[in-house]
Amino acid sequence: MEISSVGVVGAGQMGNGIAHVFALAGYDVILTDVNEAALRNAIATIERNIERQVSRGKVSAEEKAAAMARITTTLTLAEVGPCDLIIEAATERETVKQAIFEDLLPHLKPHTILTSNTSSISITRLASRTDRPEKFMGFHFMNPVPVMQLVELIRGIATDQDTWDKMHAVVRKLGKTAASAEDFPAFIVNRILMPMINEAVYTLYEGVGSVQSIDQSLKLGANHPMGPLELADFIGLDTCLAIMNVLHDGLADTKYRPCPLLTKYVEAGWLGRKTQRGFYDYRGDVPVPTR
């Protein structure tokens, strides 16, 4: 069975990026969300981002037009059911993801492959709540999706070889590189990245350095393109906290204990760039450290 139609559930930052790369690669994409404004914003973002690629000579105007024509949107989750491949890209909460898959089940074709873009939640556990754990995988894109070259492919305990092979072929068609990860909390990238970010927050919390000095130290001292606190704001502090909680709960090791300051920022609603405040305040022309 050749994969030609792709359903993307969730039109946020990750969902619109996933729809973007699939449409450019020649797939028919149905993008769904519970919020009509989110769908409108997603289409506007995709068009703007592909236009940026056109201006840089990476994509032709004809390819842009063809890609945009391949994307349709719907507020009705059931309409993505008949797709060959479905990618869930909703918020990083297991109950939300489980509810989506349960609502999709009556509308799926027998061959439909289900995947989740989760950055940390157990694929085996998500798959077990569906009627096709053998056709279920983790399909974790990096942010921003059109730019980042890696996709983590995560097998659940029941994922069969045919599903794995098909998803590996899809990643190649997207022009990206697949990394194979086992189904343990946070997989590879976030298992390594999030504790580093959490440690940077502890360094701030304990007064070892300021926001500016911590980020500057990692950029200039370790040649990171972005400081860890700046990166946390870009990812979303709520997402960072959710992943640290998954690591802490799943591995029962105190080294993964979320920093209380990270929790405090999330409680304040200071989630980073998406709320205009996090470790930096983005409401002015230049981001200003908040601590």
Side-chain angles (χ1 to χ4, degrees):
M1 188 275 302
E2 187 71 23
I3 292 170
S4 60
S5 58
V6 179
V8 181
V9 182
Q13 193 172 35
M14 296 304 294
N16 75 59
I18 292 167
H20 171 153
V21 297
F22 271 91
L24 268 182
Y27 294 95
D28 294 323
V29 178
I30 304 177
L31 180 62
T32 185
D33 200 283
V34 294
N35 187 317
E36 190 168 359
L39 289 172
R40 285 197 304 269
N41 290 340
I43 293 299
T45 299
I46 293 167
E47 185 154 22
R48 187 169 61 249
N49 287 342
I50 298 181
E51 182 56 39
R52 189 177 294 123
Q53 291 175 296
V54 172
S55 68
R56 292 173 180 170
K58 294 182 177 179
V59 172
S60 70
E62 293 75 20
E63 286 170 329
K64 176 194 170 185
M68 294 306 301
R70 291 188 194 105
I71 303 172
T72 57
T73 63
T74 179
L75 290 167
T76 307
L77 182 64
E79 290 185 14
V80 307
C83 291
D84 302 321
L85 167 64
I86 295 174
I87 305 164
E88 170 276 312
T91 188
E92 191 69 359
R93 288 207 302 274
E94 188 164 352
T95 53
V96 172
K97 295 177 185 297
Q98 285 175 345
I100 287 168
F101 289 121
E102 286 170 7
D103 288 348
L104 277 170
L105 290 184
H107 310 286
L108 303 177
K109 287 185 175 179
H111 68 263
T112 299
I113 293 172
L114 294 176
T115 66
S116 176
N117 183 57
T118 179
S119 51
S120 61
I121 296 167
S122 167
I123 298 303
T124 298
R125 200 162 58 237
L126 288 173
S128 72
R129 302 290 291 269
T130 75
D131 64 351
R132 60 195 67 208
E134 72 286 350
K135 294 186 187 303
F136 194 109
M137 277 191 64
F139 207 38
H140 181 215
F141 289 82
M142 307 295 130
N143 185 34
V145 179
V147 175
M148 301 296 278
Q149 291 301 301
L150 187 76
V151 181
E152 283 183 316
L153 293 181
I154 306 104
R155 295 178 195 255
I157 198 168
T159 306
D160 65 24
Q161 189 61 41
D162 182 60
T163 301
W164 168 263
D165 291 342
K166 282 187 170 68
M167 291 302 92
H168 202 276
V170 167
V171 174
R172 285 199 302 271
K173 188 172 176 181
L174 295 176
K176 296 188 182 292
T177 299
S180 175
E182 291 301 314
D183 185 24
F184 290 99
F187 319 128
I188 295 172
V189 172
N190 284 317
R191 173 75 177 264
I192 297 166
L193 177 64
M194 286 301 157
M196 184 198 77
I197 287 174
N198 194 52
E199 195 62 31
V201 182
Y202 266 116
T203 305
L204 178 66
Y205 175 62
E206 293 167 3
V208 179
S210 66
V211 168
Q212 189 171 19
S213 62
I214 291 165
D215 278 351
Q216 194 172 53
S217 294
L218 268 292
K219 282 195 283 190
L220 301 182
N223 205 28
H224 290 197
M226 194 181 289
L229 301 175
E230 183 185 3
L231 180 57
D233 276 358
F234 180 75
I235 293 167
L237 304 193
D238 52 340
T239 300
C240 294
L241 179 60
I243 296 169
M244 287 310 301
N245 280 325
V246 167
L247 281 165
H248 192 233
D249 295 344
L251 298 170
D253 192 324
T254 55
K255 74 180 181 180
Y256 298 116
R257 183 172 70 97
C259 179
L261 184 60
L262 177 60
T263 302
K264 191 63 67 183
Y265 268 75
V266 172
E267 288 173 345
W270 291 18
L271 308 182
R273 283 186 175 271
K274 61 187 174 185
T275 60
Q276 295 294 295
R277 278 190 292 187
F279 293 112
Y280 292 85
D281 188 328
Y282 300 92
R283 293 174 298 176
D285 294 336
V286 177
V288 178
T290 56
R291 206 170 182 85

